[in-house]
Amino acid sequence: MEEQAGGLFLFVAVALVFAQIVLRVVFNIGISGVYELATFSATFSVLLTASLGVKRNTHVRVDILRNLLSRRGALVLETVVQVLMLTVSLALLYSGWLLVDESLLFGDHTTGTIEIPMWAPQLIMPIAGALLTLRTLQRILSLIRTPDAVLQSPTPGAVD
Amino acid sequence: QEIVFKLAHEAPATAIKGRTADLFAELVAKYTDGSVKIEVYPGGQLVPTVEEIRAAARGQVDIIAPYTSYYSSIDPLWDIFYQPMLFSSPKQAMEVFSGEIGQKLLANLESRRLKGLAIWHDGPVYTFTTDKPATTPDVLSGMKVRVAPSKPLESMLSKAGAAPISMPATEVYLALQQGTVDGVVTTPTYAAPARWGEVLKTMTRALWGVGGYGVAMNAKSFASMSAEQQEGFLRAMKEATEWNQAQTLENIAKSESMLKESGMTIVDLTDEQKAAWMPLAEAVWAEQSDDIKAMIDTIRQ
Amino acid sequence: MWLSLGLFAGGALLGAPIAFALVLAGFGYMLVAGDYPSSVSAYLFATLNSSTLLSIPFFILAAEILNQSGATRSLVKMIDAWIGHNSGGLPVVAVVAVAFFSAICGSSAATAAAIGSIMIPEMIERGYGRRFSIGLIAAAGGIGILIPPSIPLIVYGMVAETSIAALFSAATLPGIALAAILCAIAYVVGRRTETARSPRRSWAERVTATRRSLGILFLPVIILGGIYSGIFTPTESAAIACIYALLLAVTVHRVSLTALPRMLTTAAATASMVMLILAAANLFSYGLTAERVPHAVFEWLMALELDRWQLLLGLMLFFVLAGMFLEVISIILITMPILLPVLAASGIDPIYFAVLLVVNMELAVITPPIGLNLFVISAVSGVPVTEVIRGAVPFVAVIVVFLLALMYLPGVERLVLSW
Ligand code: NA
Ligand code: NA
């Protein structure tokens, strides 16, 4: 799901910037705020897809220590890393939630023709935190159930 | 025990804001006997410019001095700085914002957990082009003009038939050089150090607004000082602000002569040309909220 | 400060994703500094949400569309038809492509992602060493901030109040020279590698292969033409590249639009990894800046009152160190205001110095612990980051020697400033 959404938002961002060029060059129209919408869209794409990297274990990691360890050691290490990631994900969820709350209170919006209240795009932060938490939990679960399969999952960096 | 405050701003340390901030830091140390220390972070190195106001409200940084236009995102009254053809001169604008109107804008920040401290000045907002000077709306018609997001300025451009283009500051130099945009609306004090004079040909001194900075502080940080420290702190702010005002006109003149040296033609409006702009400006004023309209009336008297 | 360094190093060495280790360090710093916890999210959001970074996911998408539609394959076939019989050819083409692309887009991370995903698998498949292929692309990606247009040079001009046109002109020759040096290395190493050579092709075959890849060959023409005729900005050119690649896929390569979602999701996945590391690295450097670590080291260096040659050396060492943790624009903003009067006093031309600084910054993106190009290339090629680092080492040496030559070879300064 977040995969499709991530791709879609990337497409929307490209389309918005393209539309801005066409409006300016062909119709001599400038609308401030289109850039903001495009960057919001690209940011959504990045943050929604981040959890997918956890699910597929494709985020860039350093594997020195793991390569030195036995199977048992690698399992312990992977558990430690997953718990660490769970902590970061939960912290992001909390921090993102506070950010949205803060923006609701602060009431600021983007300047220019299109005024977007900041809390709206910032909702992506707690959503991303929640998705990351979910995916990390899933990985921990499968680490418990099928440790060997998880340990042999794709090399870091590889995209499916 | 020493209190340390972080003052973050986006201008180069050498710009008038950077120099005012450094002077302020010096004066605070002097008037509080070194018990309050201000660490200045110029050039937006600490927080992104768009984040400054929120970072101060949150207490991540203590003191900020963003362009007044950034405050429009929390209080539309700040749009008063960018009402075209409203101010008669940069000097008059300084007097306006030293008075009641300035105090009101700063006091309103309290609802955002901020203490408004002062308004520092920068320079007049003029139109610059790569071709003919923008003396009348006809000249500007059909042009693409880069402007930092601001409702009244964008509206003024649209009314002249120009397309207001928003674009990151770092891309403007190239965009002017290659003709992606035909002009900019900015202050000579920004254009000169940014070297836009190398790629612009004309500056038209029609006063579309006045550039300035709202100096504000996290309310809790302010309250963390003793009454004595607060007194020294505010005295330092008052003197730094006076220095800023005394320097502003000189700084504008210096920037203009820098632009002239790089080959720029500087044009003033004739009464006739000014008359051609007035209906557009009045139409922009008419679009403002009642509060701003009241301010406009006060300023015009 | 030490806490955040420790958290990052610990997290990264344990094998946590780099981005997570950096965010962990960010949380650690904010916690100690007593910042409100929302500041981490706020900082990440504000960094990701910058319009100057927008071109990175766009160029990644353009490359993905070209790859999946087969446009890249036709380009590689064409290159092979012309120079496949010569084993030094492909690496040279790779360097030229990377230098050219990065010169246009000005972002070494976007270049490494876009061209790396095309060229690295091809070079490895042909039998060029993994480390050599990776190191070459990583090093060449940095040339873009030297060859105009260059955002770091524009920022330098704004801060140092020097002519941007003069900066561009001064950086061009060293940029071309560095590209030429990398080409020479690529050729020599390539010749000595046992690769699967193709037979020499006839002219007719070459013309056919060229005709098949005309569409993709036209892409740089459109981008450069568009920028230099003022139709769009360098950042916007990334969106144009996507649209053009898509048109090419549909019209020339007969790809059905149903393939688009897959292109989008693959590109989004790569872009996400790259952008997260970028944003998290920025968050990490926030702690260093807020604690004034670079300021302190820098002021210490300034207080030493060194001779001109010593000062240059000291500054370059400082910039190498700073470049390991900070990003080029932050470095310019932090150091230049303090440095300008010092340069003036020591008689070092600020424009010449800008060239040294930017060459130095090419090291920053290919050196650990935070070397963005290293991470990006690991992400797009699937090669473990430790091996990418090993691949980059010889090229780090090359750039260091090049920098020393710029600093101390007699006559170089005059050549750079007035060629
Ligand atoms: Na470039
Ligand atoms: Na580095």
Side-chain angles (χ1 to χ4, degrees):
Chain A
M1 212 290 285
E2 58 265 50
E3 190 179 4
Q4 308 300 334
L8 186 67
F9 277 118
L10 181 56
F11 183 74
V12 170
V14 172
L16 282 169
V17 173
F18 185 67
Q20 165 149 302
I21 301 170
V22 172
L23 279 178
R24 184 182 65 224
V25 176
V26 183
F27 302 100
N28 207 50
I29 297 174
I31 304 170
S32 74
V34 174
Y35 252 126
E36 276 99 330
L37 286 177
T39 53
F40 286 154
S41 218
T43 306
F44 293 170
S45 168
V46 168
L47 288 166
L48 284 173
T49 319
S51 54
L52 219 61
V54 173
K55 185 180 161 194
R56 297 186 188 152
N57 192 27
T58 52
H59 283 291
V60 177
R61 318 167 51 163
V62 178
D63 51 7
I64 309 174
L65 196 55
R66 184 171 157 176
N67 292 343
L68 297 175
L69 293 171
S70 63
R71 181 191 164 275
R72 224 187 129 79
L75 197 62
V76 173
L77 182 69
E78 185 62 19
T79 313
V80 171
V81 166
Q82 291 305 323
V83 170
L84 207 68
M85 285 170 67
L86 187 65
T87 316
V88 172
S89 306
L90 281 169
L92 275 175
L93 171 60
Y94 177 62
S95 167
W97 175 252
L98 289 178
L99 177 68
V100 171
D101 192 46
E102 178 186 284
S103 295
L104 280 170
L105 204 74
F106 202 61
D108 58 340
H109 51 74
T110 57
T111 50
T113 314
I114 305 175
E115 287 183 350
I116 304 156
M118 285 310 289
W119 63 262
Q122 283 170 343
L123 267 178
I124 197 66
M125 296 309 296
I127 292 174
L131 285 171
L132 284 171
T133 307
L134 193 75
R135 293 304 181 194
T136 312
L137 278 175
Q138 272 181 352
R139 213 176 141 76
I140 292 175
L141 264 185
S142 39
L143 195 62
I144 296 166
R145 280 202 203 123
T146 53
D148 287 303
V150 173
L151 282 181
Q152 281 151 18
S153 63
T155 46
V159 182
D160 65 354
Chain B
Q1 199 187 331
E2 187 186 52
I3 301 181
V4 181
F5 291 136
K6 290 185 168 69
L7 192 167
H9 67 83
E10 91 303 335
T14 46
I16 186 156
K17 175 159 72 175
R19 287 187 290 149
T20 315
D22 291 343
L23 173 70
F24 170 64
E26 243 179 81
L27 292 173
V28 168
K30 187 170 146 195
Y31 294 144
T32 61
D33 294 322
S35 67
V36 177
K37 187 181 170 200
I38 311 281
E39 281 178 348
V40 183
Y41 296 83
Q45 54 179 271
L46 199 54
V47 283
T49 321
V50 289
E51 262 288 298
E52 270 176 21
I53 300 180
R54 301 161 55 90
R58 195 186 291 137
Q60 195 179 345
V61 298
D62 303 287
I63 308 164
I64 50 164
Y67 262 107
T68 52
S69 59
Y70 285 102
Y71 287 102
S72 297
S73 71
I74 48 171
D75 181 3
L77 276 185
W78 289 75
D79 274 346
I80 190 67
F81 285 85
Y82 299 98
Q83 299 301 326
M85 318 301 280
L86 173 63
F87 301 98
S88 56
S89 71
K91 194 165 183 299
Q92 180 227 2
M94 267 194 274
E95 281 155 17
V96 166
F97 291 112
S98 308
E100 215 170 284
I101 289 181
Q103 290 313 311
K104 184 174 176 193
L105 292 173
L106 292 172
N108 278 0
L109 294 177
E110 216 163 292
S111 62
R112 297 306 206 288
R113 284 175 279 170
L114 290 170
K115 177 168 174 62
L117 294 172
I119 287 169
W120 290 348
H121 294 271
D122 180 29
V125 177
Y126 293 147
T127 43
F128 297 73
T129 67
T130 52
D131 193 16
K132 272 183 275 177
T135 44
T136 58
D138 299 353
V139 180
L140 221 49
S141 180
M143 281 192 187
K144 300 175 188 67
V145 183
R146 190 264 176 177
V147 61
S150 156
K151 267 189 172 172
L153 291 182
E154 286 174 50
S155 168
M156 183 72 166
L157 282 170
S158 302
K159 287 187 168 49
I165 304 296
S166 83
M167 176 180 288
T170 43
E171 296 224 311
V172 175
Y173 183 95
L174 274 175
L176 286 167
Q177 192 177 44
Q178 311 303 344
T180 317
V181 292
D182 314 295
V184 290
V185 173
T186 187
T187 62
T189 47
Y190 190 89
R195 296 281 149 176
W196 292 353
E198 292 172 17
V199 283
L200 283 164
K201 278 217 187 81
T202 76
M203 171 172 103
T204 307
R205 288 199 280 207
L207 204 53
W208 278 32
V210 286
Y213 310 100
V215 191
M217 182 173 193
N218 179 278
K220 265 196 200 149
S221 302
F222 184 78
S224 73
M225 287 185 285
S226 70
E228 219 172 33
Q229 286 169 326
Q230 285 179 359
E231 200 192 314
F233 182 94
L234 291 175
R235 184 174 161 205
M237 180 54 71
K238 189 162 171 279
E239 274 181 36
T241 305
E242 280 162 10
W243 182 86
N244 169 274
Q245 297 199 352
Q247 284 289 306
T248 296
L249 295 176
E250 201 180 299
N251 190 48
I252 295 168
K254 198 186 110 206
S255 303
E256 288 187 354
S257 70
M258 228 175 115
L259 290 170
K260 245 186 214 159
E261 268 167 40
S262 62
M264 185 174 283
T265 312
I266 297 180
V267 181
D268 286 306
L269 293 189
T270 62
D271 286 343
E272 215 168 89
Q273 288 164 339
K274 205 171 171 193
W277 281 108
M278 280 318 286
L280 277 62
E282 277 161 10
V284 173
W285 301 346
E287 291 166 358
Q288 307 303 310
S289 69
D290 289 342
D291 287 339
I292 295 186
K293 277 185 199 149
M295 279 185 178
I296 292 176
D297 287 339
T298 320
I299 295 168
R300 295 197 75 197
Q301 278 153 21
Chain C
M1 201 328 252
W2 293 114
L3 175 82
S4 45
L5 273 181
L7 283 175
F8 166 62
L13 285 178
L14 279 178
I18 301 280
F20 281 74
L22 288 166
V23 173
L24 179 69
F27 271 115
Y29 175 74
M30 299 286 190
L31 206 67
V32 172
D35 281 330
Y36 196 63
S38 67
S39 53
V40 171
S41 298
Y43 203 87
L44 287 176
F45 184 83
T47 315
L48 283 175
N49 210 37
S50 125
S51 46
T52 42
L53 289 184
L54 202 53
S55 66
I56 295 177
F58 287 9
F59 277 124
I60 290 174
L61 174 60
E64 197 57 50
I65 297 173
L66 292 174
N67 282 348
Q68 288 193 24
S69 69
T72 312
R73 193 119 285 277
S74 68
L75 181 70
V76 170
K77 270 190 186 153
M78 184 205 89
I79 296 170
D80 187 54
W82 285 93
I83 54 167
H85 57 279
N86 183 332
S87 57
L90 189 63
V92 174
V93 170
V95 172
V96 172
V98 169
F100 189 78
F101 190 88
S102 72
I104 298 172
C105 82
S107 156
S108 53
T111 307
I115 310 263
S117 66
I118 294 171
M119 280 298 183
I120 293 173
E122 196 58 39
M123 285 178 67
I124 294 174
E125 196 180 303
R126 290 284 160 129
Y128 297 100
R130 272 212 316 185
R131 288 185 193 164
F132 166 66
S133 310
I134 283 167
L136 189 66
I137 303 283
I143 294 175
I145 53 174
L146 202 52
I147 298 177
S150 154
I151 302 266
L153 283 177
I154 290 181
V155 173
Y156 184 99
M158 287 173 151
V159 177
E161 302 198 9
T162 50
S163 160
I164 292 164
L167 285 171
F168 279 2
S169 146
T172 306
L173 198 58
I176 293 170
L178 187 55
I181 290 169
L182 289 179
C183 279
I185 293 171
Y187 187 75
V188 172
V189 176
R191 281 307 291 243
R192 287 169 47 192
T193 313
E194 278 305 310
T195 55
R197 290 193 203 181
S198 314
R200 188 182 281 270
R201 257 27 99 68
S202 72
W203 285 97
E205 283 173 291
R206 288 175 182 176
V207 168
T208 313
T210 309
R211 201 179 294 146
R212 289 218 177 98
S213 47
L214 273 183
I216 186 169
L217 284 176
F218 207 57
L219 177 63
V221 179
I222 288 190
I223 289 187
L224 269 188
I227 292 173
Y228 284 101
S229 60
I231 299 172
F232 40 77
T233 66
T235 303
E236 290 171 342
S237 75
I240 297 289
C242 290
I243 303 287
Y244 181 75
L246 198 57
L247 276 178
L248 212 60
V250 174
T251 57
V252 177
H253 299 278
R254 307 274 165 214
V255 175
S256 148
L257 273 180
T258 50
L260 182 62
R262 198 181 139 71
M263 294 169 175
L264 283 168
T265 49
T266 317
T270 311
S272 170
M273 285 187 284
V274 173
M275 299 290 285
L276 272 186
I277 292 176
L278 250 163
N282 250 323
L283 173 70
F284 179 79
S285 72
Y286 170 83
L288 294 184
T289 314
E291 290 301 307
R292 295 184 94 81
V293 176
H295 306 68
V297 177
F298 192 65
E299 276 154 20
W300 169 81
L301 181 69
M302 293 292 98
L304 291 179
E305 297 188 11
L306 301 167
D307 290 341
R308 183 191 150 103
W309 75 270
Q310 292 171 323
L311 180 70
L312 273 182
L313 191 65
L315 283 171
M316 287 304 130
L317 287 175
F318 167 79
F319 284 128
V320 169
L321 205 66
M324 288 180 177
F325 298 99
L326 304 178
E327 172 266 341
V328 47
I329 295 189
S330 316
I331 292 176
I332 292 174
L333 290 170
I334 291 172
T335 58
M336 286 323 290
I338 314 172
L339 194 50
L340 279 172
V342 181
L343 290 182
S346 324
I348 299 172
D349 186 282
I351 291 176
Y352 165 66
F353 187 76
V355 174
L356 300 183
L357 174 58
V358 172
V359 173
N360 193 311
M361 287 302 110
E362 300 197 4
L363 289 172
V365 291
I366 54 169
T367 49
I370 303 175
L372 286 175
N373 275 15
L374 302 175
F375 299 148
V376 170
I377 284 183
S378 168
V380 299
S381 66
V383 176
V385 75
T386 36
E387 192 164 349
V388 177
I389 293 172
R390 283 195 210 115
V393 168
F395 293 94
V396 169
V398 169
I399 296 178
V400 167
V401 171
F402 181 70
L403 182 60
L404 286 171
L406 281 178
M407 284 157 67
Y408 297 121
L409 269 191
V412 166
E413 177 176 356
R414 214 182 38 228
L415 184 68
V416 164
L417 289 175
S418 56
W419 61 288

